[in-house]
Amino acid sequence: MTPNDDLVLAVQAARIAAGILQEVPRDDIVSSEGHDIKHSADKKAEQGILEVLLKNSPYPVLTEESGEHGALNDGTMWIVDPLDGTLNFSRGLPMTCVSIALWKEGQPYLGVVYDFILEEMFTGIVGQGAWVNNVEIKVSAVNQKKKAVLMTGVPSLSDFSQERLTRFARQIQAFKKVRLLGTAALSLAYVACGRADAYKEDGIMIWDVAAGAALIKAAGGVVKFEPKKRKWSCLMIAGANEDILEGI
Ligand code: IPD
């Protein structure tokens, strides 16, 4: 399969998931523990995506809800979050999306983030470019933190300790504005198209950021990714350029 075939497949899977999500009752929360919730929509949409990817692609798939499908040995794999911004979805907040990535050799390569509320399909392939609804996008030219918008979030598994919150406050001081949308995937897509300039989240799960990171790289930005001790969690720092990311 060519990279473009992979992109067509990921877009097809994202549209199928979105169709399923539009039919699920918004209040069908199946569990709620700590700072996390589980919604019936995540599993239903994931099933739709898996059917498309496993049937039509040779690569293994890692998903938020059901884990690993196939052997993930050489770092080439699909990484899927069927519904990022689950809490937003359940409350009718319009920031929510489907996120599908293809990583190669452990690095972001192809990304699809579908905002099915605004009907914005973000797509990108590293080395080829990035698009929203087929119109080319690029990261912003902002290269000073005091002029920059930082997108961030508080991971569900965060301990909310005084120390962590103080570190967070220190981090955002240098930026002009900070935004917490409640969806890491869409936040990264917004950095990829220049609506914001940087993104950082420590302890985020890889399926939340895999596609958005690929979009930023494909749109000319910088991505720094460091796996953490908890399996599939990571530190993700990404932005328009190195100057914006320095020291964060
Ligand atoms: C959440 C969002 C949020 C991030 C949380 C994630 P979910 O994903 O990506 O931006 O801060 O850590 O859990 O649970 O809504 O799919």
Side-chain angles (χ1 to χ4, degrees), residues 36 64 81 83-87 153-156 182-184 201 204 208:
D36 202 16
E64 174 172 17
D81 187 347
L83 177 61
D84 189 46
T86 304
L87 185 99
V154 187
S156 310
T183 150
E201 206 163 338
I204 189 80
D208 293 316

Side-chain angles (χ1 to χ4, degrees), residues 68-141:
E68 300 168 21
H69 300 260
L72 314 179
N73 19 22
D74 71 350
T76 297
M77 58 179 165
W78 294 104
I79 307 177
V80 173
D81 187 347
L83 177 61
D84 189 46
T86 304
L87 185 99
N88 287 352
F89 177 84
S90 75
R91 301 292 295 267
L93 290 163
M95 290 84 71
T96 183
C97 61
V98 180
S99 171
I100 302 178
L102 182 64
W103 278 35
K104 290 204 167 177
E105 291 161 14
Q107 295 297 321
Y109 176 65
L110 176 156
V112 169
V113 170
Y114 185 29
D115 175 346
F116 52 90
I117 307 288
L118 290 182
E119 293 188 12
E120 286 193 317
M121 180 71 78
F122 294 87
T123 54
I125 300 178
V126 176
Q128 286 194 26
W131 305 269
V132 57
N133 293 347
N134 296 321
V135 176
E136 192 173 19
I137 53 172
K138 293 252 183 257
V139 292
S140 81

Side-chain angles (χ1 to χ4, degrees), residues 137-221:
I137 53 172
K138 293 252 183 257
V139 292
S140 81
V142 174
N143 60 1
Q144 286 176 281
K145 285 201 192 96
K146 64 178 183 190
K147 293 185 179 168
V149 179
L150 172 72
M151 293 275 177
T152 186
V154 187
S156 310
L157 294 171
S158 170
D159 62 8
F160 286 79
S161 64
Q162 186 69 44
E163 189 205 334
R164 193 179 172 109
L165 295 175
T166 307
R167 220 183 321 133
F168 177 76
R170 238 183 269 125
Q171 222 170 70
I172 65 175
Q173 273 166 346
F175 285 88
K176 185 167 185 72
K177 290 284 176 187
V178 60
R179 292 288 179 265
L180 287 86
L181 300 186
T183 150
L186 203 53
S187 302
L188 286 157
Y190 284 180
V191 174
C193 69
R195 292 177 191 166
D197 310 296
Y199 168 87
K200 176 176 181 184
E201 206 163 338
D202 193 2
I204 189 80
M205 302 309 285
I206 193 165
W207 37 79
D208 293 316
V209 291
L215 291 175
I216 291 182
K217 265 183 114 169

